[in-house]
Amino acid sequence: MSAELSITPQAELWARYSAGLYRNEELGFSLDLSRVNMSPSEQSAIAEMFPMAFSAMAQLEAGSIANKDEGRMVGHYWLRAPQLAPTPELEADILQAIFDVNAFCQAVHAGEVTGSGGKFTNVLLIGIGGSALGPQFIATALASSHDKLHMSFFDNTDPDGIDLVLSSLASCLATTLVVVVSKSGGTPETRNGMLEAQAAFQAAGIPFAPQAVAITQAGSKLDQTAQSEGWLKTFPMWDWVGGRTSVMSTVGLVPAALQGLDIDSLLEGAGQMDSLTRVPQVKENPAAHLAMAWYHCGQGRGSKDMVLLPYKDRLALFSKYLQQLVMESLGKELDRKGQKVNQGIAVYGNKGSTDQHAYVQQLRDGLNNFFATFIEVLKDRQGDSIEVDAGVTSGDYLYGFYAGTRKALYESGRDSITITVNEVNAHSVGALIALYERAVGLYAELVNINAYHQPGVEAGKKAAAQILALQSQAVEVVVSNKASLTADEVAKLANASDVESIYGILRHLAANPSRGIVRQPGKTPAEDRFGKL
């Protein structure tokens, strides 16, 4: 009997794990694909596709036009390696921005820059999408009792959500620094948040401009507003940085530095991972490993969802952050040849071991329509742990739940990836962000789509603008008529064909008394009537 035939399944798994584990001791990082059921021949076949992808990524970093819809370069990698920027001017701009961020935040912390109520205690960041998700993830992952300023966010145009945040800041508005983030200055959600904040400051009798900071593109609407109103400070946001990859730019660095986080270590961790993921050999490139696993699990068509399971509370927002990075980058109808492909990978997740009591039951026994990514953190906490059982700590339980779930999923034929970091700190968080940015870029090349534009998002913005225009027409009809009207009647008088949208608009307005519209319910929506309040 050969030695190979005597190997047990557990021993074979151990051999696969030991031989195939990617790890970098200096970075404190490892990536395990041993629980991805991919044969050596399939690995070789996918690996043969990578030279093209590596070449495309090299061209991207060299300054090629990647977002052809807008004629833009995509240079978020330069943010942590300014010397790689394609021109000396860009390198100087990046270095100057980092210097300015540090200098401004140090002045705030020292009390040299203050609010009307004295030394700043709080930061309110107003943004949307990547302009909020990235800073929120960093703020949550790296928060501590030693934070210099407390962070709050407007990340939507929900009035109730805005009121909730403002109520928490009511007693310290005079020492709250407001950071408004918008590349164009025309993003409706961010503009609305800015106007709401200005109104709150005005109602409290506090000047807004001396406590307001803008992060925006030079010459934008927001830049013009900040300049004309005399805002405290403006930081640059470059057209070659997309929102979903902006967390290492001033978008993420300003709030992180104000919070008191180590932005130099964040950039260093990302830069170190960038170096590892530039290597043009699949076996030595962790981002290539990740992209290969995605390609295998989803059969190159995104046929399975990505479930992210970080076993650390600090990483709870990582799945939300990756939803935008992965889904906005990869969710494309057309490939580069204009062929309809409907690509994408759906991302969802929560955290371990919370998921032991939530949806792991379905992951184990339900539809096999996903692949899992576990994120394991070796260090439990700062300081020693008590024993909750003899010889067992809370952290040991957490590890046991992770290892048990990984084992249970594998035994049920579910693919899983495991990423391990030594601890959650600025350096490791920067590395995780950089790893996924590169994996997204490489995977996009494998399936021949453009990861750096977002036509679907733009279509949604246009549709929203059309609804708001229709609202103006509907309101004009209702307030100019003495009699109450059905949605059909309003639509006819407004010369509009979309009756359902008219109905939805009027029903929403009628639920808010200050809007001056009243609804008289009928037996069906078609019989509801709307009039002046």
Side-chain angles (χ1 to χ4, degrees):
M1 181 179 291
S2 70
E4 181 177 352
L5 291 177
S6 67
I7 295 176
T8 64
Q10 291 81 6
E12 185 177 355
L13 278 176
W14 165 243
R16 279 171 51 181
Y17 172 83
S18 185
L21 182 71
Y22 176 93
R23 63 180 178 177
N24 184 280
E25 294 292 345
E26 183 182 356
L27 190 57
F29 165 89
S30 66
L31 174 61
D32 168 30
L33 302 186
S34 65
R35 269 56 174 182
V36 175
N37 189 23
M38 181 167 37
S39 68
S41 60
E42 186 181 1
Q43 289 186 44
S44 297
I46 299 174
E48 290 177 0
M49 304 167 63
F50 271 90
M52 158 199 71
F54 289 138
S55 175
M57 293 300 294
Q59 292 175 43
L60 178 81
E61 289 197 295
S64 66
I65 300 299
N67 187 338
K68 295 184 179 179
D69 292 352
E70 301 174 355
R72 292 179 179 176
M73 300 181 292
V74 173
H76 50 276
Y77 297 109
W78 310 328
L79 297 169
R80 49 263 193 170
Q83 72 277 11
L84 296 181
T87 68
E89 291 77 16
L90 283 181
E91 178 183 3
D93 285 348
I94 297 167
L95 292 171
Q96 185 63 51
I98 295 172
F99 177 85
D100 289 346
V101 169
N102 279 314
F104 175 74
C105 295
Q106 287 169 10
V108 169
H109 296 157
E112 297 167 7
V113 176
T114 63
S116 60
K119 191 173 181 179
F120 285 115
T121 59
N122 291 68
V123 176
L124 170 61
L125 186 139
I126 303 174
I128 191 71
S131 297
L133 276 172
Q136 279 178 304
F137 167 53
I138 296 292
T140 303
L142 302 178
S144 78
S145 59
H146 304 296
D147 287 351
K148 302 287 189 182
L149 282 79
H150 177 73
M151 300 297 301
S152 299
F153 297 87
F154 284 177
D155 63 351
N156 200 357
T157 186
D158 174 15
D160 183 57
I162 290 170
D163 287 347
L164 188 63
V165 174
L166 288 174
S167 67
S168 71
L169 295 173
S171 63
C172 54
L173 210 58
T175 56
T176 294
L177 183 63
V178 181
V179 179
V180 184
V181 187
S182 176
K183 182 182 288 186
S184 67
T187 307
E189 296 94 334
T190 305
R191 183 210 58 184
N192 295 353
M194 179 188 74
L195 294 175
E196 294 269 7
Q198 285 178 322
F201 271 73
Q202 183 176 10
I206 302 169
F208 178 78
Q211 295 183 201
V213 171
I215 301 176
T216 189
Q217 194 168 335
S220 72
K221 292 179 181 178
L222 178 57
D223 186 39
Q224 294 173 26
T225 298
Q227 298 298 332
S228 64
E229 295 181 0
W231 285 23
L232 178 59
K233 182 72 175 175
T234 300
F235 291 97
M237 189 173 181
W238 301 287
D239 67 354
W240 41 266
V241 177
R244 57 190 176 277
T245 55
S246 65
V247 71
M248 302 288 175
S249 73
T250 53
V251 170
L253 297 184
V254 169
L258 286 169
Q259 188 176 344
L261 307 181
D262 187 349
I263 64 172
D264 292 331
S265 186
L266 186 75
L267 292 168
E268 182 183 345
Q272 191 171 346
M273 181 61 77
D274 286 340
S275 296
L276 299 177
T277 58
R278 286 191 187 99
V279 177
Q281 287 87 37
V282 175
K283 289 184 178 181
E284 300 174 26
N285 185 321
H289 280 242
L290 206 52
M292 174 185 284
W294 295 355
Y295 191 92
H296 158 80
C297 292
Q299 300 175 313
R301 301 189 302 273
S303 59
K304 290 191 175 183
D305 301 339
M306 182 192 304
V307 180
L308 197 76
L309 303 173
Y311 277 69
K312 205 68 172 177
D313 286 1
R314 289 181 176 277
L315 299 179
L317 289 183
F318 196 36
S319 59
K320 187 177 178 181
Y321 173 78
L322 290 182
Q323 278 178 338
Q324 182 181 21
L325 176 64
V326 175
M327 296 175 73
E328 190 171 351
S329 298
L330 302 182
K332 301 296 160 63
E333 180 183 21
L334 305 177
D335 65 12
R336 284 198 171 99
K337 295 180 180 179
Q339 297 174 331
K340 192 170 183 178
V341 291
N342 296 114
Q343 277 284 356
I345 301 176
V347 179
Y348 61 94
N350 191 5
K351 65 182 180 182
S353 66
T354 301
D355 291 307
Q356 318 299 126
H357 307 278
Y359 52 71
V360 165
Q361 169 62 37
Q362 178 169 317
L363 299 185
R364 172 65 172 76
D365 294 341
L367 287 172
N368 189 1
N369 62 347
F370 72 95
F371 62 95
T373 300
F374 295 99
I375 300 183
E376 176 195 15
V377 180
L378 297 180
K379 187 171 184 177
D380 290 339
R381 58 162 34 120
Q382 300 296 331
D384 297 330
S385 291
I386 65 166
E387 292 184 0
V388 295
D389 287 322
V392 179
T393 68
S394 297
D396 296 337
Y397 266 104
L398 187 65
Y399 173 77
F401 285 131
Y402 145 69
T405 302
R406 175 174 174 264
K407 185 175 186 291
L409 292 186
Y410 181 75
E411 289 174 347
S412 192
R414 274 59 169 159
D415 285 328
S416 71
I417 300 161
T418 297
I419 293 170
T420 301
V421 295
N422 286 349
E423 62 180 303
V424 176
N425 55 29
H427 197 268
S428 63
V429 167
L432 285 173
I433 290 170
L435 171 70
Y436 275 89
E437 286 179 349
R438 184 83 60 168
V440 162
L442 290 171
Y443 179 87
E445 297 302 328
L446 297 183
V447 298
N448 195 33
I449 60 169
N450 188 342
Y452 305 107
H453 68 163
Q454 47 280 339
V457 175
E458 299 306 318
K461 291 179 181 178
K462 291 178 182 178
Q466 292 169 358
I467 291 293
L468 292 173
L470 192 60
Q471 175 175 308
S472 297
Q473 296 173 259
V475 169
E476 184 178 351
V477 168
V478 172
V479 300
S480 64
N481 277 268
K482 294 182 179 179
S484 59
L485 303 169
T486 66
D488 281 286
E489 292 168 340
V490 174
K492 288 177 183 177
L493 291 171
N495 196 28
S497 60
D498 190 351
V499 181
E500 185 177 346
S501 289
I502 292 284
Y503 176 80
I505 288 166
L506 294 174
R507 183 180 60 175
H508 167 249
L509 294 175
N512 294 275
S514 65
R515 311 310 298 277
I517 302 293
V518 64
R519 179 173 72 95
Q520 301 167 9
K523 291 182 179 180
T524 68
E527 296 174 273
D528 286 3
R529 305 190 74 85
F530 298 90
K532 291 185 292 185
L533 185 63

